[in-house]
Amino acid sequence: MLVLTIREEGINDGGFTASLNFDSGNSYPITVTDPFTNQEEKDLEWYFEEWLVFPTLGTDKAQKAANSVQNYGENLFKQVFQSNLNAYGEYRDLRKQLSQLQIIIESQSPEFQALHWEALKDPDLPRPFSIDCIISRQRRGATVVPVQMATYPTINLLVVIARPNEESDVNYRTISRPLVELVNSSEIPVKIDILRPGTYESLTRHLDEKGEGYYHVIHFDVHGGLMEYEQYQRQVHGDSWRYQRGWGLEDLAEYEGVKAFLFLEGEEKGQATPVEATELANLLTGKNIPICILNACQSAKQISQESEDYRETSLGSRLMTAGMQAVVAMGYSVTVSAAKLMMKPIYQQLLNGKDLTEAMRKGRLELFNNKQRRAYYNTIIDLEDWLLPVIYCRGKINLNLRPFTPEEEEKYWEHIGNQYVFPLPEYGFVGRDLEILKMEKALLKHNILLLKGMGGTGKTTLLNYLREWWQKTNWATHIFYFGYDRKAWTLEQIVHEIGQVIYNRFEQASFQAMNLKARVRKLEQKLRSEAYILILDNLESVTGQPLAIQNTLPENEREEIAEFLKNLVGGKTKVILGSRSEETWLQRRTFKENIYHLQGLDQESRTELAERILERQAKSRKNAIKKDDYF
């Protein structure tokens, strides 16, 4: 790999003194000024942050901002490479090997990092450098606690998702679902944990439990932003109480300028917990996590003013002081469709053993080649948002992976082989992100939930899908499913089936030798103290409801099940009861008011399902059918 370093040396009235450094050892002094006026920068910010809200307005302004990206990049190129003939000559020799070139932007000040280096473009080449070679950033002079990874045979990945506004938020699994699906085809074995709930307290406790050096990657799929203190105060003390500081976070002292925040889950729907960049860096310091991916708006945005507090605005840059080897962040707000498009090639590369900087280039290339984004009012617009991803990197990333021992390999593949495989419906599994989010949140507040819905709404399909999803994302080691549409499960049969799985062959012998009452009490204790998931589905059959399959249980056997479930209330095991009916014989002692009423698919998911059906069944007539008034 050929390395070219653009290093900031100082700040002057007109811009920056810097040096252009080649692998040959030659270094050339250069002067760099911001190619944009203040107004041009504001127009670019509007283009990325606001235009998609009213995409039918300001189209000429948007086009001008989009065109300005190329002008900016070419202006920056002339300052860096063409101010010195010798430097330009040495560059032209490198230009023949762009695919082998890495450009490092090294600086001490946020002002230098605030320049859009990813736009850098040679006027003689068709594309910006960041599309064909690697551009990464390094921060000089930062105190760093270096990462010391333990050795593991698997890539261990923690995904932190926060959706405080639920229905009015981004789909829960926009990033995590494609990521989990990629794991099935990765060359390197991967373990994915999704943090539940996505709170600061949960994150702190989870990292402490896993220990230092366990995770290779932490991915924040959350909202981010820059706030002045007055903005923060309005949200904390306003009528909505939108922001609340909670466990482990002290009240924010008044500050000047702006600070960078990530927004994690709050206590209630609509409430978010703002975690400031330094607080997050302090939390992650010493956890020995080499890679952080910030799928969060404005997480790489730099703003500079005279005050030191104002200068420390880039969350991505700040996290490098936590000892990480690489941080991926976003310069402005990034659309959901762009994030989804970009993350897939990034993880495809990373999970197949490629370097993160090259994976990042692949993700940017995908954005560059496919610029259509979904804006408000279901409008499709073109965005030059390939510019937004930024990678901070410190040297070559070492994940410290090692081969499996024979025992580890057998255990790993045995675990994979024992996982439930969801049989996909005819047109795939569509939607249900909001339902999954709400069910998980409800189960975290009270560990027994009734999933109620009319026949045909998809309760059983959803529950079977969740058996696979929750196992793959490590919410529970084992998930036990008992469907009363198949047979009338008694408590003794349920206890026997669970015991066969959670006890080894030596424990099973003594367990099965006990009388039923003793086995039930022993199993209750096990389920209360360890995190499993128990699903009892189609419970309308137990009481012989109309139109239900008549797998009924007599009242005394129903009472045994009700007493068993009552004794699991408040424990670590989650229990989901699926039914068409109210199940009053269980309510008072088990799920109480914790009921989720399942409806049909939402409008977006119905549209997606209809598209799939048309594509399969009437591809040649699809467009004509969609124009039909009745359709």
Side-chain angles (χ1 to χ4, degrees), residues 484 488-492 494 524 534 536 539 542 553-568 577 585-586 589-590:
Y484 282 87
W489 292 94
T490 65
L491 179 60
E492 183 170 9
I494 290 171
E524 286 172 355
L534 172 60
L536 303 182
L539 282 173
V542 173
L553 290 176
E555 187 173 348
N556 65 311
E557 292 187 345
R558 294 204 305 269
E559 177 61 25
E560 289 177 348
I561 290 174
E563 188 67 16
F564 172 70
L565 294 177
K566 183 201 78 171
N567 292 333
L568 300 184
L577 311 171
W585 61 285
L586 290 170
R589 286 180 283 182
T590 61

PDB file of all heavy atoms in Angstrom, residues 484 488-492 494 524 534 536 539 542 553-568 577 585-586 589-590:
ATOM      1  N   TYR A 484     -50.299 -25.141  20.749  1.00  0.00           N
ATOM      2  CA  TYR A 484     -51.489 -25.931  21.101  1.00  0.00           C
ATOM      3  C   TYR A 484     -52.362 -26.227  19.885  1.00  0.00           C
ATOM      4  O   TYR A 484     -53.380 -26.896  20.014  1.00  0.00           O
ATOM      5  CB  TYR A 484     -52.284 -25.221  22.203  1.00  0.00           C
ATOM      6  CG  TYR A 484     -51.645 -25.428  23.561  1.00  0.00           C
ATOM      7  CD1 TYR A 484     -50.640 -24.578  24.007  1.00  0.00           C
ATOM      8  CD2 TYR A 484     -52.018 -26.495  24.362  1.00  0.00           C
ATOM      9  CE1 TYR A 484     -50.027 -24.780  25.225  1.00  0.00           C
ATOM     10  CE2 TYR A 484     -51.419 -26.710  25.595  1.00  0.00           C
ATOM     11  CZ  TYR A 484     -50.417 -25.855  26.018  1.00  0.00           C
ATOM     12  OH  TYR A 484     -49.810 -26.086  27.233  1.00  0.00           O
ATOM     13  N   ALA A 488     -52.287 -30.954  22.835  1.00  0.00           N
ATOM     14  CA  ALA A 488     -52.668 -30.358  24.119  1.00  0.00           C
ATOM     15  C   ALA A 488     -51.534 -30.586  25.114  1.00  0.00           C
ATOM     16  O   ALA A 488     -51.523 -31.563  25.875  1.00  0.00           O
ATOM     17  CB  ALA A 488     -53.972 -30.975  24.620  1.00  0.00           C
ATOM     18  N   TRP A 489     -50.590 -29.663  25.149  1.00  0.00           N
ATOM     19  CA  TRP A 489     -49.421 -29.804  25.999  1.00  0.00           C
ATOM     20  C   TRP A 489     -49.803 -29.687  27.470  1.00  0.00           C
ATOM     21  O   TRP A 489     -50.390 -28.689  27.903  1.00  0.00           O
ATOM     22  CB  TRP A 489     -48.384 -28.726  25.683  1.00  0.00           C
ATOM     23  CG  TRP A 489     -47.738 -28.867  24.339  1.00  0.00           C
ATOM     24  CD1 TRP A 489     -48.118 -28.267  23.178  1.00  0.00           C
ATOM     25  CD2 TRP A 489     -46.581 -29.657  24.037  1.00  0.00           C
ATOM     26  NE1 TRP A 489     -47.290 -28.624  22.160  1.00  0.00           N
ATOM     27  CE2 TRP A 489     -46.318 -29.481  22.649  1.00  0.00           C
ATOM     28  CE3 TRP A 489     -45.744 -30.484  24.778  1.00  0.00           C
ATOM     29  CZ2 TRP A 489     -45.260 -30.110  22.004  1.00  0.00           C
ATOM     30  CZ3 TRP A 489     -44.684 -31.103  24.136  1.00  0.00           C
ATOM     31  CH2 TRP A 489     -44.452 -30.917  22.770  1.00  0.00           C
ATOM     32  N   THR A 490     -49.452 -30.709  28.264  1.00  0.00           N
ATOM     33  CA  THR A 490     -49.647 -30.635  29.714  1.00  0.00           C
ATOM     34  C   THR A 490     -48.389 -30.071  30.353  1.00  0.00           C
ATOM     35  O   THR A 490     -47.324 -30.003  29.720  1.00  0.00           O
ATOM     36  CB  THR A 490     -49.911 -32.029  30.294  1.00  0.00           C
ATOM     37  OG1 THR A 490     -48.729 -32.841  30.110  1.00  0.00           O
ATOM     38  CG2 THR A 490     -51.108 -32.694  29.626  1.00  0.00           C
ATOM     39  N   LEU A 491     -48.490 -29.688  31.612  1.00  0.00           N
ATOM     40  CA  LEU A 491     -47.322 -29.155  32.307  1.00  0.00           C
ATOM     41  C   LEU A 491     -46.215 -30.202  32.380  1.00  0.00           C
ATOM     42  O   LEU A 491     -45.041 -29.887  32.190  1.00  0.00           O
ATOM     43  CB  LEU A 491     -47.702 -28.688  33.711  1.00  0.00           C
ATOM     44  CG  LEU A 491     -46.538 -28.139  34.547  1.00  0.00           C
ATOM     45  CD1 LEU A 491     -45.897 -26.941  33.874  1.00  0.00           C
ATOM     46  CD2 LEU A 491     -46.989 -27.794  35.963  1.00  0.00           C
ATOM     47  N   GLU A 492     -46.569 -31.443  32.618  1.00  0.00           N
ATOM     48  CA  GLU A 492     -45.558 -32.494  32.721  1.00  0.00           C
ATOM     49  C   GLU A 492     -44.790 -32.637  31.402  1.00  0.00           C
ATOM     50  O   GLU A 492     -43.570 -32.796  31.398  1.00  0.00           O
ATOM     51  CB  GLU A 492     -46.207 -33.826  33.094  1.00  0.00           C
ATOM     52  CG  GLU A 492     -45.188 -34.946  33.299  1.00  0.00           C
ATOM     53  CD  GLU A 492     -45.792 -36.197  33.910  1.00  0.00           C
ATOM     54  OE1 GLU A 492     -47.027 -36.274  34.019  1.00  0.00           O
ATOM     55  OE2 GLU A 492     -45.014 -37.099  34.276  1.00  0.00           O
ATOM     56  N   ILE A 494     -44.393 -30.269  29.124  1.00  0.00           N
ATOM     57  CA  ILE A 494     -43.585 -29.053  28.947  1.00  0.00           C
ATOM     58  C   ILE A 494     -42.307 -29.142  29.771  1.00  0.00           C
ATOM     59  O   ILE A 494     -41.199 -28.853  29.283  1.00  0.00           O
ATOM     60  CB  ILE A 494     -44.412 -27.808  29.344  1.00  0.00           C
ATOM     61  CG1 ILE A 494     -45.531 -27.567  28.318  1.00  0.00           C
ATOM     62  CG2 ILE A 494     -43.515 -26.568  29.454  1.00  0.00           C
ATOM     63  CD1 ILE A 494     -46.523 -26.491  28.731  1.00  0.00           C
ATOM     64  N   GLU A 524     -38.609 -24.243  37.759  1.00  0.00           N
ATOM     65  CA  GLU A 524     -39.001 -22.845  37.982  1.00  0.00           C
ATOM     66  C   GLU A 524     -37.806 -22.028  38.449  1.00  0.00           C
ATOM     67  O   GLU A 524     -37.587 -20.900  37.986  1.00  0.00           O
ATOM     68  CB  GLU A 524     -40.130 -22.777  39.015  1.00  0.00           C
ATOM     69  CG  GLU A 524     -41.482 -23.224  38.487  1.00  0.00           C
ATOM     70  CD  GLU A 524     -42.515 -23.329  39.591  1.00  0.00           C
ATOM     71  OE1 GLU A 524     -42.163 -23.148  40.783  1.00  0.00           O
ATOM     72  OE2 GLU A 524     -43.684 -23.599  39.265  1.00  0.00           O
ATOM     73  N   LEU A 534     -39.757 -18.677  26.641  1.00  0.00           N
ATOM     74  CA  LEU A 534     -40.780 -19.714  26.589  1.00  0.00           C
ATOM     75  C   LEU A 534     -41.996 -19.175  25.844  1.00  0.00           C
ATOM     76  O   LEU A 534     -42.516 -18.116  26.189  1.00  0.00           O
ATOM     77  CB  LEU A 534     -41.174 -20.130  28.011  1.00  0.00           C
ATOM     78  CG  LEU A 534     -42.359 -21.073  28.182  1.00  0.00           C
ATOM     79  CD1 LEU A 534     -42.119 -22.397  27.477  1.00  0.00           C
ATOM     80  CD2 LEU A 534     -42.655 -21.295  29.662  1.00  0.00           C
ATOM     81  N   LEU A 536     -45.848 -20.127  24.486  1.00  0.00           N
ATOM     82  CA  LEU A 536     -47.035 -20.985  24.450  1.00  0.00           C
ATOM     83  C   LEU A 536     -47.995 -20.359  23.452  1.00  0.00           C
ATOM     84  O   LEU A 536     -48.536 -19.278  23.695  1.00  0.00           O
ATOM     85  CB  LEU A 536     -47.692 -21.093  25.827  1.00  0.00           C
ATOM     86  CG  LEU A 536     -46.808 -21.607  26.982  1.00  0.00           C
ATOM     87  CD1 LEU A 536     -47.615 -21.698  28.272  1.00  0.00           C
ATOM     88  CD2 LEU A 536     -46.198 -22.946  26.653  1.00  0.00           C
ATOM     89  N   LEU A 539     -53.188 -20.544  22.346  1.00  0.00           N
ATOM     90  CA  LEU A 539     -53.799 -20.915  23.620  1.00  0.00           C
ATOM     91  C   LEU A 539     -55.321 -20.937  23.578  1.00  0.00           C
ATOM     92  O   LEU A 539     -55.958 -21.469  24.485  1.00  0.00           O
ATOM     93  CB  LEU A 539     -53.322 -19.953  24.720  1.00  0.00           C
ATOM     94  CG  LEU A 539     -51.917 -20.219  25.264  1.00  0.00           C
ATOM     95  CD1 LEU A 539     -51.492 -19.123  26.218  1.00  0.00           C
ATOM     96  CD2 LEU A 539     -51.854 -21.569  25.960  1.00  0.00           C
ATOM     97  N   VAL A 542     -56.747 -24.331  24.213  1.00  0.00           N
ATOM     98  CA  VAL A 542     -56.747 -24.937  25.547  1.00  0.00           C
ATOM     99  C   VAL A 542     -58.143 -24.929  26.157  1.00  0.00           C
ATOM    100  O   VAL A 542     -58.577 -25.896  26.798  1.00  0.00           O
ATOM    101  CB  VAL A 542     -55.746 -24.195  26.460  1.00  0.00           C
ATOM    102  CG1 VAL A 542     -55.856 -24.685  27.903  1.00  0.00           C
ATOM    103  CG2 VAL A 542     -54.332 -24.377  25.950  1.00  0.00           C
ATOM    104  N   LEU A 553     -57.593 -28.693  27.491  1.00  0.00           N
ATOM    105  CA  LEU A 553     -57.082 -29.264  28.738  1.00  0.00           C
ATOM    106  C   LEU A 553     -58.143 -29.136  29.812  1.00  0.00           C
ATOM    107  O   LEU A 553     -58.829 -28.103  29.893  1.00  0.00           O
ATOM    108  CB  LEU A 553     -55.818 -28.524  29.194  1.00  0.00           C
ATOM    109  CG  LEU A 553     -54.535 -28.705  28.376  1.00  0.00           C
ATOM    110  CD1 LEU A 553     -53.433 -27.807  28.929  1.00  0.00           C
ATOM    111  CD2 LEU A 553     -54.087 -30.150  28.368  1.00  0.00           C
ATOM    112  N   PRO A 554     -58.283 -30.152  30.664  1.00  0.00           N
ATOM    113  CA  PRO A 554     -59.221 -30.024  31.779  1.00  0.00           C
ATOM    114  C   PRO A 554     -58.777 -28.929  32.745  1.00  0.00           C
ATOM    115  O   PRO A 554     -57.600 -28.537  32.755  1.00  0.00           O
ATOM    116  CB  PRO A 554     -59.185 -31.405  32.433  1.00  0.00           C
ATOM    117  CG  PRO A 554     -57.930 -32.036  31.969  1.00  0.00           C
ATOM    118  CD  PRO A 554     -57.638 -31.461  30.622  1.00  0.00           C
ATOM    119  N   GLU A 555     -59.682 -28.461  33.560  1.00  0.00           N
ATOM    120  CA  GLU A 555     -59.414 -27.307  34.419  1.00  0.00           C
ATOM    121  C   GLU A 555     -58.234 -27.545  35.355  1.00  0.00           C
ATOM    122  O   GLU A 555     -57.423 -26.642  35.586  1.00  0.00           O
ATOM    123  CB  GLU A 555     -60.662 -26.971  35.237  1.00  0.00           C
ATOM    124  CG  GLU A 555     -60.513 -25.679  36.027  1.00  0.00           C
ATOM    125  CD  GLU A 555     -61.797 -25.258  36.704  1.00  0.00           C
ATOM    126  OE1 GLU A 555     -62.861 -25.824  36.395  1.00  0.00           O
ATOM    127  OE2 GLU A 555     -61.725 -24.345  37.555  1.00  0.00           O
ATOM    128  N   ASN A 556     -58.078 -28.757  35.904  1.00  0.00           N
ATOM    129  CA  ASN A 556     -56.975 -28.999  36.846  1.00  0.00           C
ATOM    130  C   ASN A 556     -55.607 -28.896  36.154  1.00  0.00           C
ATOM    131  O   ASN A 556     -54.629 -28.417  36.745  1.00  0.00           O
ATOM    132  CB  ASN A 556     -57.134 -30.369  37.517  1.00  0.00           C
ATOM    133  CG  ASN A 556     -57.018 -31.520  36.533  1.00  0.00           C
ATOM    134  OD1 ASN A 556     -57.653 -31.509  35.477  1.00  0.00           O
ATOM    135  ND2 ASN A 556     -56.196 -32.513  36.856  1.00  0.00           N
ATOM    136  N   GLU A 557     -55.540 -29.315  34.881  1.00  0.00           N
ATOM    137  CA  GLU A 557     -54.269 -29.219  34.164  1.00  0.00           C
ATOM    138  C   GLU A 557     -53.989 -27.780  33.725  1.00  0.00           C
ATOM    139  O   GLU A 557     -52.832 -27.348  33.669  1.00  0.00           O
ATOM    140  CB  GLU A 557     -54.273 -30.172  32.968  1.00  0.00           C
ATOM    141  CG  GLU A 557     -54.258 -31.634  33.403  1.00  0.00           C
ATOM    142  CD  GLU A 557     -54.102 -32.592  32.237  1.00  0.00           C
ATOM    143  OE1 GLU A 557     -54.286 -32.155  31.076  1.00  0.00           O
ATOM    144  OE2 GLU A 557     -53.795 -33.771  32.491  1.00  0.00           O
ATOM    145  N   ARG A 558     -55.055 -27.028  33.431  1.00  0.00           N
ATOM    146  CA  ARG A 558     -54.874 -25.596  33.153  1.00  0.00           C
ATOM    147  C   ARG A 558     -54.354 -24.889  34.406  1.00  0.00           C
ATOM    148  O   ARG A 558     -53.495 -24.014  34.322  1.00  0.00           O
ATOM    149  CB  ARG A 558     -56.181 -24.953  32.693  1.00  0.00           C
ATOM    150  CG  ARG A 558     -56.700 -25.449  31.357  1.00  0.00           C
ATOM    151  CD  ARG A 558     -57.616 -24.432  30.691  1.00  0.00           C
ATOM    152  NE  ARG A 558     -58.733 -24.004  31.518  1.00  0.00           N
ATOM    153  CZ  ARG A 558     -59.923 -24.589  31.531  1.00  0.00           C
ATOM    154  NH1 ARG A 558     -60.161 -25.638  30.755  1.00  0.00           N
ATOM    155  NH2 ARG A 558     -60.897 -24.135  32.294  1.00  0.00           N
ATOM    156  N   GLU A 559     -54.870 -25.281  35.548  1.00  0.00           N
ATOM    157  CA  GLU A 559     -54.444 -24.675  36.810  1.00  0.00           C
ATOM    158  C   GLU A 559     -52.964 -24.928  37.076  1.00  0.00           C
ATOM    159  O   GLU A 559     -52.240 -24.046  37.553  1.00  0.00           O
ATOM    160  CB  GLU A 559     -55.294 -25.228  37.957  1.00  0.00           C
ATOM    161  CG  GLU A 559     -54.915 -24.735  39.350  1.00  0.00           C
ATOM    162  CD  GLU A 559     -55.054 -23.224  39.513  1.00  0.00           C
ATOM    163  OE1 GLU A 559     -55.851 -22.609  38.774  1.00  0.00           O
ATOM    164  OE2 GLU A 559     -54.347 -22.662  40.364  1.00  0.00           O
ATOM    165  N   GLU A 560     -52.474 -26.114  36.736  1.00  0.00           N
ATOM    166  CA  GLU A 560     -51.054 -26.426  36.924  1.00  0.00           C
ATOM    167  C   GLU A 560     -50.177 -25.511  36.065  1.00  0.00           C
ATOM    168  O   GLU A 560     -49.140 -25.011  36.526  1.00  0.00           O
ATOM    169  CB  GLU A 560     -50.790 -27.895  36.561  1.00  0.00           C
ATOM    170  CG  GLU A 560     -51.353 -28.893  37.560  1.00  0.00           C
ATOM    171  CD  GLU A 560     -51.121 -30.323  37.118  1.00  0.00           C
ATOM    172  OE1 GLU A 560     -50.734 -30.536  35.926  1.00  0.00           O
ATOM    173  OE2 GLU A 560     -51.329 -31.240  37.926  1.00  0.00           O
ATOM    174  N   ILE A 561     -50.615 -25.298  34.822  1.00  0.00           N
ATOM    175  CA  ILE A 561     -49.848 -24.415  33.930  1.00  0.00           C
ATOM    176  C   ILE A 561     -49.893 -22.973  34.437  1.00  0.00           C
ATOM    177  O   ILE A 561     -48.864 -22.271  34.446  1.00  0.00           O
ATOM    178  CB  ILE A 561     -50.390 -24.512  32.490  1.00  0.00           C
ATOM    179  CG1 ILE A 561     -50.056 -25.887  31.899  1.00  0.00           C
ATOM    180  CG2 ILE A 561     -49.816 -23.396  31.613  1.00  0.00           C
ATOM    181  CD1 ILE A 561     -50.668 -26.153  30.548  1.00  0.00           C
ATOM    182  N   ALA A 562     -51.059 -22.526  34.889  1.00  0.00           N
ATOM    183  CA  ALA A 562     -51.193 -21.157  35.390  1.00  0.00           C
ATOM    184  C   ALA A 562     -50.300 -20.930  36.604  1.00  0.00           C
ATOM    185  O   ALA A 562     -49.642 -19.884  36.737  1.00  0.00           O
ATOM    186  CB  ALA A 562     -52.656 -20.869  35.743  1.00  0.00           C
ATOM    187  N   GLU A 563     -50.230 -21.916  37.504  1.00  0.00           N
ATOM    188  CA  GLU A 563     -49.404 -21.791  38.699  1.00  0.00           C
ATOM    189  C   GLU A 563     -47.917 -21.779  38.322  1.00  0.00           C
ATOM    190  O   GLU A 563     -47.117 -21.014  38.887  1.00  0.00           O
ATOM    191  CB  GLU A 563     -49.695 -22.957  39.644  1.00  0.00           C
ATOM    192  CG  GLU A 563     -49.043 -22.848  41.005  1.00  0.00           C
ATOM    193  CD  GLU A 563     -49.585 -21.699  41.855  1.00  0.00           C
ATOM    194  OE1 GLU A 563     -50.668 -21.162  41.526  1.00  0.00           O
ATOM    195  OE2 GLU A 563     -48.912 -21.324  42.836  1.00  0.00           O
ATOM    196  N   PHE A 564     -47.544 -22.611  37.369  1.00  0.00           N
ATOM    197  CA  PHE A 564     -46.156 -22.658  36.875  1.00  0.00           C
ATOM    198  C   PHE A 564     -45.746 -21.301  36.296  1.00  0.00           C
ATOM    199  O   PHE A 564     -44.685 -20.766  36.621  1.00  0.00           O
ATOM    200  CB  PHE A 564     -46.046 -23.761  35.827  1.00  0.00           C
ATOM    201  CG  PHE A 564     -44.739 -23.813  35.100  1.00  0.00           C
ATOM    202  CD1 PHE A 564     -43.574 -24.220  35.749  1.00  0.00           C
ATOM    203  CD2 PHE A 564     -44.643 -23.470  33.751  1.00  0.00           C
ATOM    204  CE1 PHE A 564     -42.361 -24.285  35.080  1.00  0.00           C
ATOM    205  CE2 PHE A 564     -43.440 -23.532  33.084  1.00  0.00           C
ATOM    206  CZ  PHE A 564     -42.291 -23.940  33.745  1.00  0.00           C
ATOM    207  N   LEU A 565     -46.591 -20.717  35.460  1.00  0.00           N
ATOM    208  CA  LEU A 565     -46.276 -19.430  34.847  1.00  0.00           C
ATOM    209  C   LEU A 565     -46.259 -18.315  35.884  1.00  0.00           C
ATOM    210  O   LEU A 565     -45.446 -17.388  35.808  1.00  0.00           O
ATOM    211  CB  LEU A 565     -47.277 -19.109  33.736  1.00  0.00           C
ATOM    212  CG  LEU A 565     -47.247 -20.037  32.511  1.00  0.00           C
ATOM    213  CD1 LEU A 565     -48.343 -19.647  31.528  1.00  0.00           C
ATOM    214  CD2 LEU A 565     -45.889 -20.027  31.828  1.00  0.00           C
ATOM    215  N   LYS A 566     -47.166 -18.397  36.866  1.00  0.00           N
ATOM    216  CA  LYS A 566     -47.198 -17.382  37.924  1.00  0.00           C
ATOM    217  C   LYS A 566     -45.856 -17.318  38.645  1.00  0.00           C
ATOM    218  O   LYS A 566     -45.355 -16.239  38.981  1.00  0.00           O
ATOM    219  CB  LYS A 566     -48.297 -17.708  38.920  1.00  0.00           C
ATOM    220  CG  LYS A 566     -48.455 -16.669  40.034  1.00  0.00           C
ATOM    221  CD  LYS A 566     -49.152 -17.233  41.258  1.00  0.00           C
ATOM    222  CE  LYS A 566     -48.171 -18.068  42.070  1.00  0.00           C
ATOM    223  NZ  LYS A 566     -48.725 -18.467  43.391  1.00  0.00           N
ATOM    224  N   ASN A 567     -45.242 -18.479  38.855  1.00  0.00           N
ATOM    225  CA  ASN A 567     -43.978 -18.533  39.579  1.00  0.00           C
ATOM    226  C   ASN A 567     -42.787 -18.062  38.737  1.00  0.00           C
ATOM    227  O   ASN A 567     -41.677 -17.949  39.247  1.00  0.00           O
ATOM    228  CB  ASN A 567     -43.723 -19.956  40.089  1.00  0.00           C
ATOM    229  CG  ASN A 567     -44.708 -20.347  41.179  1.00  0.00           C
ATOM    230  OD1 ASN A 567     -45.216 -19.486  41.895  1.00  0.00           O
ATOM    231  ND2 ASN A 567     -44.987 -21.632  41.300  1.00  0.00           N
ATOM    232  N   LEU A 568     -43.013 -17.792  37.451  1.00  0.00           N
ATOM    233  CA  LEU A 568     -41.949 -17.245  36.590  1.00  0.00           C
ATOM    234  C   LEU A 568     -42.000 -15.726  36.508  1.00  0.00           C
ATOM    235  O   LEU A 568     -41.079 -15.096  35.965  1.00  0.00           O
ATOM    236  CB  LEU A 568     -42.041 -17.833  35.181  1.00  0.00           C
ATOM    237  CG  LEU A 568     -41.908 -19.353  35.049  1.00  0.00           C
ATOM    238  CD1 LEU A 568     -41.928 -19.758  33.578  1.00  0.00           C
ATOM    239  CD2 LEU A 568     -40.645 -19.872  35.717  1.00  0.00           C
ATOM    240  N   LEU A 577     -47.276 -15.494  25.319  1.00  0.00           N
ATOM    241  CA  LEU A 577     -48.483 -16.300  25.160  1.00  0.00           C
ATOM    242  C   LEU A 577     -49.212 -15.812  23.920  1.00  0.00           C
ATOM    243  O   LEU A 577     -49.585 -14.635  23.833  1.00  0.00           O
ATOM    244  CB  LEU A 577     -49.384 -16.160  26.388  1.00  0.00           C
ATOM    245  CG  LEU A 577     -48.688 -16.353  27.750  1.00  0.00           C
ATOM    246  CD1 LEU A 577     -49.630 -15.977  28.890  1.00  0.00           C
ATOM    247  CD2 LEU A 577     -48.196 -17.777  27.901  1.00  0.00           C
ATOM    248  N   TRP A 585     -58.097 -16.887  32.308  1.00  0.00           N
ATOM    249  CA  TRP A 585     -57.654 -17.854  33.315  1.00  0.00           C
ATOM    250  C   TRP A 585     -56.176 -17.684  33.673  1.00  0.00           C
ATOM    251  O   TRP A 585     -55.706 -18.193  34.689  1.00  0.00           O
ATOM    252  CB  TRP A 585     -57.921 -19.290  32.837  1.00  0.00           C
ATOM    253  CG  TRP A 585     -57.208 -19.696  31.558  1.00  0.00           C
ATOM    254  CD1 TRP A 585     -57.521 -19.327  30.293  1.00  0.00           C
ATOM    255  CD2 TRP A 585     -56.060 -20.543  31.462  1.00  0.00           C
ATOM    256  NE1 TRP A 585     -56.648 -19.889  29.389  1.00  0.00           N
ATOM    257  CE2 TRP A 585     -55.744 -20.661  30.082  1.00  0.00           C
ATOM    258  CE3 TRP A 585     -55.277 -21.243  32.382  1.00  0.00           C
ATOM    259  CZ2 TRP A 585     -54.672 -21.419  29.611  1.00  0.00           C
ATOM    260  CZ3 TRP A 585     -54.208 -22.014  31.914  1.00  0.00           C
ATOM    261  CH2 TRP A 585     -53.917 -22.089  30.541  1.00  0.00           C
ATOM    262  N   LEU A 586     -55.446 -16.915  32.838  1.00  0.00           N
ATOM    263  CA  LEU A 586     -54.032 -16.657  33.099  1.00  0.00           C
ATOM    264  C   LEU A 586     -53.745 -15.205  33.485  1.00  0.00           C
ATOM    265  O   LEU A 586     -52.736 -14.920  34.122  1.00  0.00           O
ATOM    266  CB  LEU A 586     -53.199 -16.993  31.859  1.00  0.00           C
ATOM    267  CG  LEU A 586     -53.049 -18.458  31.477  1.00  0.00           C
ATOM    268  CD1 LEU A 586     -52.398 -18.572  30.096  1.00  0.00           C
ATOM    269  CD2 LEU A 586     -52.212 -19.200  32.509  1.00  0.00           C
ATOM    270  N   ARG A 589     -52.783 -13.670  37.205  1.00  0.00           N
ATOM    271  CA  ARG A 589     -51.583 -14.206  37.841  1.00  0.00           C
ATOM    272  C   ARG A 589     -50.327 -14.075  36.985  1.00  0.00           C
ATOM    273  O   ARG A 589     -49.216 -14.233  37.501  1.00  0.00           O
ATOM    274  CB  ARG A 589     -51.802 -15.686  38.186  1.00  0.00           C
ATOM    275  CG  ARG A 589     -52.728 -15.904  39.365  1.00  0.00           C
ATOM    276  CD  ARG A 589     -52.911 -17.382  39.650  1.00  0.00           C
ATOM    277  NE  ARG A 589     -53.830 -18.013  38.696  1.00  0.00           N
ATOM    278  CZ  ARG A 589     -54.181 -19.294  38.749  1.00  0.00           C
ATOM    279  NH1 ARG A 589     -53.673 -20.081  39.685  1.00  0.00           N
ATOM    280  NH2 ARG A 589     -55.024 -19.788  37.875  1.00  0.00           N
ATOM    281  N   THR A 590     -50.468 -13.802  35.691  1.00  0.00           N
ATOM    282  CA  THR A 590     -49.280 -13.842  34.823  1.00  0.00           C
ATOM    283  C   THR A 590     -49.043 -12.542  34.056  1.00  0.00           C
ATOM    284  O   THR A 590     -48.245 -11.702  34.475  1.00  0.00           O
ATOM    285  CB  THR A 590     -49.374 -15.025  33.846  1.00  0.00           C
ATOM    286  OG1 THR A 590     -50.521 -14.878  33.013  1.00  0.00           O
ATOM    287  CG2 THR A 590     -49.468 -16.351  34.595  1.00  0.00           C
TER     288      THR A 590
END
